[in-house]
Amino acid sequence: MTRPTLGNAAARRLFLARHLLSEPPQGPAKGAALLKVIHDLGFVQLDSINTVARAHDLILFARRPRYRPTALKRLYEKDRALFEHWTHDAAVIPMKFYPQWHLRRTRDAAKLLERWKNWQRGDFEAQLKSVMDQTRAEGPVTSSDVGLDEPRSSGGWWEWHPSKTALEYLWRSGELAVAGREGFRKRYDLTERVVPAALHDPAHAPDTAQTIDWCCDQALARLGFATAGELAAFWAHISPAEARGWCAAELAAGRLEEIDIEAADGSLKPAFIRPGWADDPALTRGPPKRLRVLSPFDPALRDRKRAARLFGFDYRIEVFVPEAQRKYGYYVFPLLQGDRLVGRVDMKAHRDVDTLRINALWPERGVRWGKLRQEAFEAELHRLLPLAGVSQMHFAEGWLRDPV
């Protein structure tokens, strides 16, 4: 039997709608309204790099330009409407989802214990009790508060001192929770002092089958269509094999369909989708033409392979690439206009001179960078200035480059 095909333009529109990029970028950006944005996205990845704005702030700003970082801090640290844990990376997640992380915490407890012992992090297991006791007595604590007699290093995460490793392990396995951050340093406290009792009680946690069902169902709702591997990777809790089993069962029960998704190059890739997909209004509703600057960690770009298939946009963050080998730049921002990724820009906020400097912009192949698009770009930069913490912008000589 021939599978139905979802054309590339319609697939892009559906995908962008699920990522809240088909709505006009407007509306309230704090309290319950901001929480709904995060809920609908599923999570917002945290990242410390502040070239223009931190990733989590730019992700939310791209959807609600009235957003300011204090609104996220309040939701997280005062209202306790969010918790921090891992998906594919560290993220803030709606607190109501906390029980669904029980399986992740349980699996991390076993996996990380073995992995971190093998990575020579000192005898962190011997510090677990003392770190718990200190947190219970003094919490919240940061990594600088524990293991004061242990050697310190200014190196990367692989050079954590044993008590810092113990803190991370206790957080990842569920004994501790992150109560907030000072700058970008996590503050840890006992889970029962951060998470409501009804949500962290293991007796009420979903079992493995329930978690697999939740992960796949909720990932599909936020992706629109997906392969089993993409469903597994969305929250990064479950294995591809578990996701394949779920897809097979849902397909047999008539709750899933298989369709072909047309890529930007015209090729077809099979994916799963919920029945009734052809009536989704997102398929015919195009996004607004406003140009938006996206974070390299935006949910719409997290899966680089998917972005390349749907948009023909081959993106790699080059933070860890030696400067001489970079194709574009240290931290380059994708540009979305309508349902197309139209370019990428290398820019940085120089707060010491109150200026956003645009160093280079590369339009994508086939994109004409004319007067109207330049006006749309400059309008977005003006909106971005307050978030970047500067009041003016400057275009470097030769900033507009040819497509690479």
Side-chain angles (χ1 to χ4, degrees), residues 142-180:
T142 71
S143 60
S144 63
D145 298 322
V146 299
L148 297 181
D149 58 344
E150 296 169 6
R152 305 290 168 130
S153 170
S154 60
W157 58 267
W158 56 91
E159 293 180 336
W160 291 346
H161 58 82
S163 292
K164 160 65 174 173
T165 308
L167 273 175
E168 286 286 311
Y169 179 81
L170 290 164
W171 166 52
R172 295 282 293 273
S173 59
E175 294 295 319
L176 298 181
V178 178

Side-chain angles (χ1 to χ4, degrees), residues 249-313:
E250 291 290 289
L251 197 61
R255 293 189 292 268
L256 276 188
E257 291 183 18
E258 265 196 297
I259 63 171
D260 283 327
I261 306 297
E262 183 186 20
D265 63 3
S267 62
L268 300 178
K269 184 178 179 67
F272 296 103
I273 197 167
R274 289 296 192 192
W277 59 270
D279 298 323
D280 194 317
L283 297 177
T284 56
R285 186 180 66 240
K289 294 298 183 182
R290 178 160 153 176
L291 190 146
R292 310 187 210 206
V293 174
L294 298 184
S295 163
F297 300 109
D298 194 278
L301 297 167
R302 181 191 65 80
D303 186 334
R304 309 296 195 210
K305 292 181 179 179
R306 188 178 176 106
R309 284 201 312 274
L310 284 179
F311 299 97
F313 189 76

Side-chain angles (χ1 to χ4, degrees), residues 35 73-83 93-96 140 177-180 187 189 193-196 199:
L35 181 59
K73 188 174 181 68
R74 181 184 179 94
L75 270 184
Y76 180 16
E77 299 184 11
K78 184 173 182 180
D79 299 344
R80 297 292 185 213
L82 303 168
F83 74 99
I93 306 148
M95 184 65 82
K96 66 183 291 186
V178 178
R187 293 184 290 112
D189 205 347
R193 296 202 289 233
V194 177
V195 180
L199 296 180

Side-chain angles (χ1 to χ4, degrees), residues 331-394:
Y331 199 84
V332 174
F333 299 85
L335 302 176
L336 176 73
Q337 189 172 34
D339 64 357
R340 298 177 68 192
L341 286 157
V342 297
R344 59 195 86 198
V345 59
D346 175 14
M347 60 183 180
K348 182 176 181 180
H350 293 264
R351 298 176 183 92
D352 56 335
V353 292
D354 193 30
T355 301
L356 177 66
R357 289 182 176 161
I358 297 84
N359 301 311
L361 186 150
W362 297 264
E364 289 297 287
R365 292 189 181 279
V367 172
R368 180 178 176 273
W369 202 268
K371 178 183 177 184
L372 292 179
R373 186 162 279 132
Q374 176 65 14
E375 289 174 353
F377 176 53
E378 291 187 25
E380 179 68 357
L381 293 182
H382 278 292
R383 288 187 286 266
L384 188 57
L385 291 178
L387 187 70
V390 296
S391 66
Q392 58 190 344
M393 57 187 178
H394 171 75

Side-chain angles (χ1 to χ4, degrees), residues 3-29:
R3 289 188 292 260
T5 297
L6 182 60
N8 181 250
R12 290 200 311 268
R13 288 193 288 266
L14 178 59
F15 180 68
L16 291 172
R18 293 293 187 271
H19 287 79
L20 309 185
L21 291 170
S22 284
E23 305 173 3
Q26 60 190 29

